Amino acid sequence: MRDVEIAAASPRDELVSVVRAGMAITAGVWLYLANSPFPAAGGGALQRSLLPFQTVIQTRPIEEQRMFRELQVSLLEAETVRSIEGAWPDAARLAADGIEPFAPNPALKGAAYEWTRVQSGRVINYLGVPKADQQRGERAPAWLVMVQEPDPAAPPEVYVEDEEHDRLADGSILHVSIWSHPAGARVPVNVVQVPQAEGWTQLYAADPSVAP
C-alpha cells in the first residue's frame, strides 16, 4: 500500500476558489432567469427595446455563438483576478491560464485571433482581432469585451441583475458588454469607449426588452 500525502490548499487558493464559485453562481442564476419561460413578478431587470446597434447572439452563426459564450466565461475569470489581485489580467495571462478563447482550442477549426488588453482610465477593453494571413480570418469578425469600472467620486450605483452589470467581490459594480465588428482584421487596436459610434454591434444572450 502506498501512502499519498494530500497538501492543504493555501489561503490564496481558497480565496480564488470562493470568489470564482460566487461569480459562477451569480452568472448561472442570471442566465437561468434570462432564458426562463416563466416571468418573474417584480423583477429588477430593466425593460427596453433593442437599439439599432444591438442584437441577440442567437441571430449569429454557430461559431460566433460559441465565441460569445467563451467570452462570457473568460470575463468571469478576469473579474476573479481583478477581485483578488486588484488589477485586470492581460491577454497573455488569460492564455497562460488556459482560458478560452485567449488560449485557442486546437480541436476547433476557425479563425485565429490576436488578443490584447487595452485600458484608458476606468475603461478596460479585451480586443480580439482575427489574423489577416488566413482565409477564415478574412471573413471573421473582431470581438470586444468592454468593462467600465465605477467612478470612485460618484454616489454608489444600485446593482441591476442583467447582462450589462457585474459585481466584484468587494461590491464594486461594473458595466460590462460584449461586441463584434464586421471589419475583422481591419479593426485598429486601440481603446474603444463608445463602440456603437465605431460600427460595433452589442450582443446579448437574451433579449433585454423581454422581462425575465
Side-chain angles (χ1 to χ4, degrees), residues 163-182:
E163 291 187 51
E164 295 180 291
H165 296 83
D166 279 343
R167 185 159 45 193
L168 296 178
D170 64 1
S172 299
I173 296 175
L174 307 173
H175 288 256
V176 299
S177 51
I178 298 176
W179 306 70
S180 69
H181 199 299

Side-chain angles (χ1 to χ4, degrees), residues 7 15 27 51 84 99 101 110 113 132 156 176 193 196 200-201 203-204 207:
L15 178 59
L51 297 173
I84 295 170
I99 307 301
Y113 280 80
V176 299
Q193 302 203 45
Q196 62 270 34
W200 291 87
T201 298
L203 301 168
Y204 291 92
D207 189 342

Side-chain angles (χ1 to χ4, degrees), residues 2 11 16 21 38 40-41 53 58 81 101 103 124 128 130 134 144 179 190:
R2 185 179 62 177
V16 169
F38 304 104
F53 59 86
Q58 289 83 357
V81 176
I124 300 93
Q134 52 176 341
L144 169 68
W179 306 70
N190 51 34

